[in-house]
Amino acid sequence: MTVETLEAGTKTAETPEALVERIATEGRAAQRVLARMSDAQKAEALRAAAKALRSEEAAILEANAKDIAAGEEKGLSGAMLDRLRLDPERLAGIADAVEAVASLPDPVGQVIEESSRPNGLKMSRVRIPIGLIGIIYESRPNVTADAAALCLRSGNAALLRGGSEAVHSNHAIRAAFAKGLASAGIPEAAIQLVPTQDRAVVGAMLTAAGLIDMIVPRGGKSLVARVQSDARVPVLAHLDGINHTYVHADADEATAVDVAVNAKMRRTGICGAMETLLLDAQFPASAKVVAALIEAGCELRGDARARAIDSRILAATDEDWDTEYLEAILAVKVVDGLDAALDHIAAHSSGHTDVIITRDDAAAERFLAEVDSAIVMVNASSQFADGGEFGLGAEIGIATGRLHARGPVALEGLTTYKWQVRGTGQARP
Amino acid sequence: MTVETLEAGTKTAETPEALVERIATEGRAAQRVLARMSDAQKAEALRAAAKALRSEEAAILEANAKDIAAGEEKGLSGAMLDRLRLDPERLAGIADAVEAVASLPDPVGQVIEESSRPNGLKMSRVRIPIGLIGIIYESRPNVTADAAALCLRSGNAALLRGGSEAVHSNHAIRAAFAKGLASAGIPEAAIQLVPTQDRAVVGAMLTAAGLIDMIVPRGGKSLVARVQSDARVPVLAHLDGINHTYVHADADEATAVDVAVNAKMRRTGICGAMETLLLDAQFPASAKVVAALIEAGCELRGDARARAIDSRILAATDEDWDTEYLEAILAVKVVDGLDAALDHIAAHSSGHTDVIITRDDAAAERFLAEVDSAIVMVNASSQFADGGEFGLGAEIGIATGRLHARGPVALEGLTTYKWQVRGTGQARP
């Protein structure tokens, strides 16, 4: 099986594996150049890329118009067309975001720890880029620039594979970005876009162990599930965000109402949105929390005890406890105390973000210690689960795996380390 | 397909997947108990386990005698029988090692970083155990206690699968270890030995994503290769150690001789042994380094320019540049300067440990920066590649992958982190 690619106007045919090997090898070579560049050089290159995104506005918006026209013809939903659409303001936002990443501190070269051994050897663990990062994403063309900027800032090369709907936009953004990089002396292959939309190439990327060092999927659950199930390359991702907010017996009433409504209703479609509300049987103001959610426009689905609180709550099925709605629907359950809440969360959480509302410090600390999720919060909305809100300046994604990096992942999560050992002729006895 | 297991005297039959799911679920439940234990409790439990290893000496040595007898009958090599054999002194060494791990600082609970956001949210990243670690190893029974101790010290449960040759020894060591743990209130399932030697269970462990959090293979290259190729669970390992020592033009002569001979000949069978010597064409004392190696009993295989240095050097083939000999054989090549050395290492290193011998600081720093291996050294023997020598107190293994942990991995590499967020009722605007 071969795939056709369109590069520099000439069609070539090769297998998906050969294509991935070829472009990954180019990307790895470019990354070796990048790894030798200084903080200032990388920052300057990103500023040049942002400048090019602004100066190439006409070409990028023209390419985007083609995608929008094709999308309308294909009958894409209004929401999908909206995710796809660029205008001068959105493009300026993309360029601004690249400049913001340029201003973040460079993690590369940071000494994580140092020690001297009794034999005089000096040990240091030093941050280095991971290498070549594969980004597999769907219809949002801003990911092209966002992911490229984060990879480049941390000294990594990127191999981008965007959605078919955004193909013209992605190529135009990548071309402008690469022009900026080239003006700062960075090889264009540092940021590559897979030159075909053939889906077999995604499979070849997922199994390219040794060529691609890490894959970050950005998109819906079916994309992430496929990547997680097929990848032989390490994956940084979260499959879903089945996030719980537990209102403890000793919760402050106003906090419970405000945080619950915000956690569910501020934006229902993001991975940090609350999907299950656990109300302690001893919490006296459950009716107020429930009423506030319903009045904010949320559909509630509860167990029998929850339905006894408010007759507007619909009956939940077992499935509701494991559902990421991503809309104005919420599962509600009454639990008997902290242990029951911890048990429910252990059984049903997706390990993304779980929250306790309480004034009881001991209960809060037990929750923080015992809930085994990437993010655990006390008295705050789960919608804060975001790299920017965590002070990371940006994020490549949120990870719920257990190794390497968890929660919001930004530049540090795109690095690894090596050991440097400085001796004076030591031989091991 | 089902496997038979022998537990508590009753034979049961289940599929390998069902067996792994059952014991992994037990291990995970035990780990939740372990995760709540204090530093002092875990240390005390390990001291109790060490004590039990000493008090059960007779039972362990008797079990070991069975393995030795079976191994002799099977015609195992002398080297394999030696790896398998325990005596009072070796067993005391195993107990000592468990006590040494008990004395290492507990990484769990360590705050990696903290910050306060402008909205008052307090963020901290806190070290936690990874969860359930699978250890797949060969004939050395000491791994049973070593790996169990490191996992337990860092709050992880362990699922051990040792080699068939050591089955009686492993069960006796694990039984003693678990007896010690139980006396300190830790569930026996925190440290489990797979109750069958059926090889299909190894396959089931390797694909038990979500049940086993990480696999550490300990053994020869074929074991590690199988684990790396089949695993769907993250693997911490190195496949081989094709380690280079580059003698720069400006190397100190005595250092070059001492370090090269030590790096190759101190112990030829360890993963940190030098396998390729790169001699700079401008280094004036190459003949002395070569002679010292030959006189120490090493067979040298070189390219034409190396053979011109000493007629005792045999002709190398292309394969020699990619071979981990693990014996007294060394590939030798003459290179033209630092760049040629870096290119050779980039093409042939396995990413384990590479060394430069030089008095030139600029050359040393370029080598440290540009060689992309887990460990890079200046003027020191690659045989220092070891967790103990690095000051880690012990090691679960040496990793050459790019994510999570690299080089010698000890307790910190057996942990991950979570984000704890402490608020006072914040909702996201």
Side-chain angles (χ1 to χ4, degrees), chain B residues 252-275:
Chain B
D252 175 71
E253 187 182 311
T255 298
V257 170
D258 292 353
V259 169
V261 171
N262 185 268
K264 181 72 229 182
M265 300 301 290
R266 174 184 162 270
R267 284 179 63 191
T268 56
I270 66 172
C271 62
M274 166 172 68
E275 302 292 8

Side-chain angles (χ1 to χ4, degrees), chain B residues 18 53 70 80 90 102 105 125 169 184 191 258 268 322 326 338 362 365:
Chain B
L53 288 170
M80 283 194 77
R90 284 185 174 184
R125 276 204 294 155
S169 311
I191 307 294
D258 292 353
T268 56
D322 299 302
L326 296 176
L338 177 58
E365 292 305 317

